[in-house]
């Protein structure tokens, strides 16, 4: 398997990234949108696991406008008290990554990714975590012909009262979407999940939306204090099932 750390063109500069491509091919493409903590060994490990199943995977630094990774001290992620401190440093960058910015970036990521050796032409799947899950939804809404499915895990603010709330644009989706919510997540409350599901139902979107009991926001990330082993296992099962359905 080929593993690289390329610099990828983005809308307002260059994003550092991680690329994993199995030998042979071409292989179906998967964009991996990381959580707010960005590229790190855990994200590379997740990309490798997907690639080992026969997919080409690109994980870009979504917060490249704030600099190259690491943007924070990774040693703080396992400490519940320091985790909030890290979020505070990243929040201005997260808030600046609005619908316009992420979709302009995604177009560049897609152009670069499908042009790489070993990557199949045609629409990709996006799996996203935390803010990456939210932005995966924004991208499939903007590019329904280039993204055939997404999986969002512990994505936050998927349905808000803001004019650019992702749930307001689900009518453009032609592919399949999956949501794995944490049941202890203030950024994805039961009311917000219900609002999202209602919008998907009204639009006739093919989707699954599930709440992972006992899981907190960030449950897939084994290098953080939010890690939930059962939730992570379930996440892999659902992600690979989706990838197989749309392959």
């Amino acid at each position: 398997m080929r593993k690289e750390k390329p610099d990828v063109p983005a809308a307002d500069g260059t994003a550092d990234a991680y690329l994993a491509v199995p030998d042979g091919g071409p292989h179906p493409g998967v964009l991996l949108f990381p959580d707010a903590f960005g590229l790190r060994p855990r994200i590379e490990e997740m990309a490798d696991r997907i690639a080992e199943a026969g997919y080409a995977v690109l994980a870009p630094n979504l917060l490249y406008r704030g600099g190259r990774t690491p943007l924070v001290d990774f040693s703080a992620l396992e400490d519940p008290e320091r985790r909030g401190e890290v979020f505070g440093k990243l929040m201005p960058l997260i808030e600046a990554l609005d619908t316009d910015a992420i979709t302009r970036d995604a177009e560049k990521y897609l152009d670069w990714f499908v042009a790489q050796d070993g990557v199949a032409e045609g629409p990709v799947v996006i799996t996203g975590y935390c803010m990456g899950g939210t932005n995966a939804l924004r991208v499939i809404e903007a590019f329904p012909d280039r993204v055939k499915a997404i999986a969002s895990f512990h994505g936050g603010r998927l349905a808000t009262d803001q004019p650019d709330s992702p749930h307001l644009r689900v009518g453009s989706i032609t592919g399949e979407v999956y949501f794995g919510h944490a049941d202890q997540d203030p950024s994805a409350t039961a009311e917000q999940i219900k609002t999202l599901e209602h919008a998907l139902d009204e639009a006739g979107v093919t989707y699954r939306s599930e709440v992972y009991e006992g899981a907190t926001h960030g449950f897939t990330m084994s290098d953080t204090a939010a890690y939930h082993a059962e939730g992570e296992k379930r996440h892999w099962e659902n992600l690979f099932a989706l990838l197989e359905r749309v392959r």
Side-chain angles (χ1 to χ4, degrees):
M1 182 164 60
R2 187 170 91 248
K3 302 179 184 181
E4 301 175 359
K5 294 184 178 181
D7 285 344
V8 177
D12 297 314
T14 301
D16 48 311
Y18 181 75
L19 176 71
V21 182
D23 296 334
H27 303 281
V30 176
L31 280 179
L32 192 164
F33 281 0
D35 60 3
F37 303 132
L39 299 178
R40 57 192 192 279
R42 172 56 176 164
I43 297 299
E44 295 175 12
E45 174 187 288
M46 296 174 82
D48 289 349
R49 183 163 177 174
I50 298 169
E52 287 166 0
Y55 301 89
V57 186
L58 175 68
N61 169 18
L62 301 183
L63 299 180
Y64 71 89
R65 292 174 178 83
R68 302 178 68 87
T69 51
L71 295 174
V72 294
D73 179 4
F74 293 149
S75 67
L77 302 185
E78 295 184 12
D79 184 336
E81 295 182 3
R82 296 184 65 197
R83 190 165 176 262
E85 171 190 327
V86 173
F87 261 122
K89 293 180 179 179
L90 293 173
M91 193 54 66
L93 296 175
I94 296 170
E95 292 175 344
L97 194 63
D98 58 12
T99 301
D100 176 67
I102 190 59
T103 53
R104 289 190 296 113
D105 286 340
E107 187 171 23
K108 297 289 188 179
Y109 300 152
L110 288 165
D111 289 344
W112 185 90
F113 185 33
V114 299
Q116 302 310 298
D117 291 340
V119 182
E121 296 181 356
V124 306
V125 175
I126 305 177
T127 182
Y129 304 85
C130 181
M131 71 165 196
T134 307
N135 288 329
L137 179 56
R138 288 171 166 158
V139 175
I140 195 174
E141 292 170 347
F143 304 109
D145 58 331
R146 304 193 68 179
V147 181
K148 57 186 174 182
I150 68 158
S152 169
F153 297 98
H154 46 84
R157 299 181 60 78
L158 295 165
T160 72
D161 58 2
Q162 297 301 305
D164 68 341
S165 176
H167 83 283
L168 298 175
R169 294 174 171 82
V170 297
S172 64
I173 297 173
T174 57
E176 183 175 349
V177 297
Y178 175 86
F179 299 95
H181 309 285
D183 73 346
Q184 302 173 42
D185 189 347
S187 69
T189 64
E191 181 180 357
Q192 289 172 321
I193 293 170
K194 183 178 180 180
T195 299
L196 171 65
E197 292 173 347
H198 177 72
L200 293 165
D201 287 332
E202 287 289 302
V205 177
T206 300
Y207 78 96
R208 286 179 64 191
S209 175
E210 302 179 321
V211 175
Y212 289 27
E213 294 183 5
T216 59
H217 182 79
F219 63 83
T220 60
M221 297 298 161
S222 59
D223 60 348
T224 76
Y227 179 59
H228 184 260
E230 184 178 337
E232 185 218 10
K233 179 177 181 292
R234 183 176 172 185
H235 132 269
W236 285 121
E237 293 169 351
N238 283 308
L239 174 59
F240 283 123
L242 173 67
L243 291 173
E244 283 301 307
R245 284 197 301 272
V246 303
R247 190 178 184 125

